[in-house]
Amino acid sequence: MLNAYTDGACSDNQSDKNTGGWAWSIFDNQSVIEQKSGGEYDTTNNIMEAKAIYDLIVTHSNDDLRIHTDSELCINWLNGTYKIKVKNERDKIRSHILHETIDLIGKRQKNGIKTEFVKIKGHSGHKENDYVDRLAVEQTSILKKNRS
């Protein structure tokens, strides 16, 4: 089972000029063996958290995954504990990634591929979580610079 860490970030969350970043890394014995990050405009930190999880699952579609995240909300959305609320067209567009991720997890489960979530405390000196947080924040900065 691969141990992966995911995080999302958003600068000026909920504003019209926000930038978001997401990142995931796979660690083996505290060393990064693979990572990926990206970003988007007009998003939220929670959607960026979900995007990191989605991209990780797509990239490692046939691998059992233990996904460590500091987003309890994302875990609860993806396991069905919390309902995904859509108040307007903007929310509908943004929440699409959550529905896609839920579908992927379901397909993985039907094929016997494990997806486990582990809630970790964010911004608490956790080396792997701090690492993906830096990658996600870096993506928000890159997009912000490009927007200027």
Side-chain angles (χ1 to χ4, degrees):
M1 180 167 291
L2 297 176
N3 277 303
Y5 292 78
T6 63
D7 206 0
C10 190
S11 173
D12 302 320
N13 203 28
Q14 300 292 336
S15 82
D16 291 339
K17 299 204 184 250
N18 65 26
T19 57
W22 56 268
W24 59 261
S25 293
I26 296 174
F27 286 81
D28 185 27
N29 296 326
Q30 297 188 334
S31 296
V32 176
I33 59 171
E34 186 178 358
Q35 69 183 36
K36 189 172 176 187
S37 60
E40 296 177 9
Y41 296 108
D42 189 28
T43 190
T44 68
N45 60 324
N46 291 317
I47 296 301
M48 291 293 89
E49 296 269 2
K51 178 67 178 180
I53 293 168
Y54 174 83
D55 193 86
L56 171 67
I57 290 172
V58 168
T59 302
H60 287 277
S61 59
N62 295 315
D63 298 316
D64 291 336
L65 294 170
R66 181 173 294 119
I67 302 170
H68 300 79
T69 179
D70 61 10
S71 176
E72 187 171 2
L73 182 60
C74 261
I75 292 172
N76 289 330
W77 273 337
L78 297 174
N79 71 18
T81 304
Y82 289 165
K83 185 177 179 197
I84 299 167
K85 296 177 184 171
V86 177
K87 300 177 215 162
N88 53 44
E89 189 63 27
R90 189 176 184 186
D91 286 352
K92 185 177 181 181
I93 293 166
R94 288 177 172 173
S95 67
H96 179 73
I97 194 72
L98 294 167
H99 296 289
E100 290 287 319
T101 307
I102 291 166
D103 288 347
L104 285 174
I105 291 169
K107 288 175 186 171
R108 289 168 58 84
Q109 189 174 14
K110 283 180 186 172
N111 291 320
I113 303 167
K114 294 178 184 168
T115 308
E116 296 176 5
F117 289 99
V118 178
K119 168 67 173 91
I120 54 176
K121 188 172 181 179
H123 310 283
S124 63
H126 189 285
K127 178 186 166 190
E128 293 86 353
N129 181 252
D130 289 347
Y131 181 80
V132 290
D133 179 65
R134 282 192 302 276
L135 293 176
V137 169
E138 184 178 277
Q139 289 297 317
T140 67
S141 297
I142 290 167
L143 287 178
K144 206 172 206 180
K145 242 187 239 180
N146 290 344
R147 181 174 262 173
S148 299

